[in-house]
């Protein structure tokens, strides 16, 4: 009761943390997924600062107490959310890694970031906040590093086959392509009409042309 009074007095919905009275009914994994989906929706539509536990609970149709059973506070919720976003990256990487085809990786990546209208707005919102949140920044650096490492290995394999230019180290090409893709993804929420399926194919083809072997360059 005291915690509730403090929360009401401060006007901060995140301060109100009802005591946990046992696990809410239902499948825990399903409930966690629903809460993460609700958090994604709130952040995409209203921004990170507005994503209080109370708003997430309302969006999911749960009580704030149900949210705090799974996530003790907003920081814990946001960390779980960003991990779940990168899990989707990892699943994409696992699907394409054995193929070592840079075209396939680029196409999958663009489909992932432009196919879900809430995916990249949330990723970019949290990335901006990570500048002032060491824990969130650590998750971004660790999980994004794996994506770049796989990118590098795929490009190195292409260099060995002669399908990717080898006058620039594979890790530098990986950084360049990652930055290019991130730039497209940042623009997509602002100009979705530009990223039609045909244009996405043209963007992929242009990126592949940039990393193609330079004619006359000795191997």
């Amino acid at each position: 009761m005291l915690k509730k009074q403090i929360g009401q007095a401060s006007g901060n919905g995140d301060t109100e943390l009802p005591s946990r009275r046992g696990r809410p009914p239902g499948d825990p994994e399903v409930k966690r997924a629903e809460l993460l989906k609700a958090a994604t929706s709130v952040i995409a539509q209203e921004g990170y600062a507005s994503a209080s536990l109370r708003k997430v609970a309302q969006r999911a149709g749960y009580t704030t107490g149900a949210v705090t059973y799974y996530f003790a506070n907003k920081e814990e919720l946001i960390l779980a959310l960003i991990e779940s976003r990168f899990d989707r990256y990892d699943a994409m990487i696992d699907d394409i890694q054995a193929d070592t085809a840079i075209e396939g990786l680029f196409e999958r990546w663009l489909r992932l970031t432009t196919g879900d209208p809430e995916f990249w707005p949330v990723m970019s919102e949290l990335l901006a906040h990570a500048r002032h949140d060491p824990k969130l920044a650590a998750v971004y650096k660790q999980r994004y590093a794996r994506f770049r490492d796989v990118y590098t290995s795929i490009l190195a394999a292409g260099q060995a086959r002669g399908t990717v230019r080898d006058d620039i180290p594979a890790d530098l090409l990986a950084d360049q392509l990652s930055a290019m893709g991130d730039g497209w993804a940042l623009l997509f929420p602002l100009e979705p009409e530009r990223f039609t399926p045909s244009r996405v194919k043209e963007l992929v083809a242009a990126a592949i042309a940039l990393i193609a072997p330079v004619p006359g360059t000795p191997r």
Side-chain angles (χ1 to χ4, degrees):
M1 183 64 180
L2 179 59
K3 289 182 179 179
K4 183 173 183 179
Q5 291 172 343
I6 293 173
Q8 291 173 338
S10 67
N12 184 344
D14 287 347
T15 306
E16 182 182 339
L17 299 177
S19 59
R20 301 182 182 187
R21 299 180 179 177
R23 180 172 66 83
D27 186 329
E29 292 304 315
V30 171
K31 287 191 175 293
R32 279 178 59 89
E34 290 174 346
L35 291 171
L36 292 177
K37 182 178 180 180
T40 298
S41 180
V42 172
I43 294 172
Q45 295 175 21
E46 302 183 39
Y48 173 85
S50 297
S52 67
L53 295 184
R54 179 174 293 173
K55 280 193 175 181
V56 171
Q58 291 173 343
R59 188 67 59 96
Y62 293 157
T63 64
T64 307
V67 179
T68 57
Y69 177 84
Y70 294 103
F71 307 102
N73 49 44
K74 180 176 177 177
E75 179 184 69
E76 192 174 297
L77 171 64
I78 295 303
L79 287 174
L81 175 59
I82 196 63
E83 292 278 10
S84 72
R85 302 287 89 184
F86 274 105
D87 286 345
R88 294 178 65 181
Y89 272 122
D90 286 352
M92 177 195 71
I93 288 171
D94 290 341
D95 284 344
I96 200 66
Q97 189 171 4
D99 189 29
T100 67
I102 194 67
E103 298 94 333
L105 180 60
F106 237 69
E107 288 171 357
R108 294 278 192 97
W109 191 89
L110 279 169
R111 278 205 302 269
L112 175 62
T113 54
T114 61
D116 181 347
E118 292 183 337
F119 186 89
W120 197 253
V122 170
M123 291 291 281
S124 56
E125 181 93 12
L126 295 181
L127 178 60
H129 181 72
R131 292 179 54 225
H132 309 288
D133 186 328
K135 290 185 178 179
L136 191 56
V139 173
Y140 261 97
K141 287 191 288 187
Q142 178 186 4
R143 299 296 297 267
Y144 206 84
R146 179 173 184 254
F147 182 72
R148 289 197 308 271
D149 287 345
V150 173
Y151 233 174
T152 299
S153 68
I154 292 176
L155 287 164
Q159 289 177 331
R161 293 195 304 268
T163 58
V164 174
R165 60 187 302 168
D166 59 5
D167 57 325
I168 299 174
D171 63 313
L172 293 183
L173 289 177
D175 267 343
Q176 292 283 2
L177 291 176
S178 295
M180 186 186 303
D182 288 344
W184 294 340
L186 284 170
L187 288 172
F188 170 70
L190 303 177
E191 303 177 282
E193 68 281 355
R194 289 183 60 223
F195 292 88
T196 61
S198 61
R199 183 171 176 81
V200 166
K201 289 183 178 180
E202 291 173 357
L203 289 171
V204 172
I208 299 306
L210 291 174
I211 63 170
V214 179
T217 301
R219 289 183 51 80

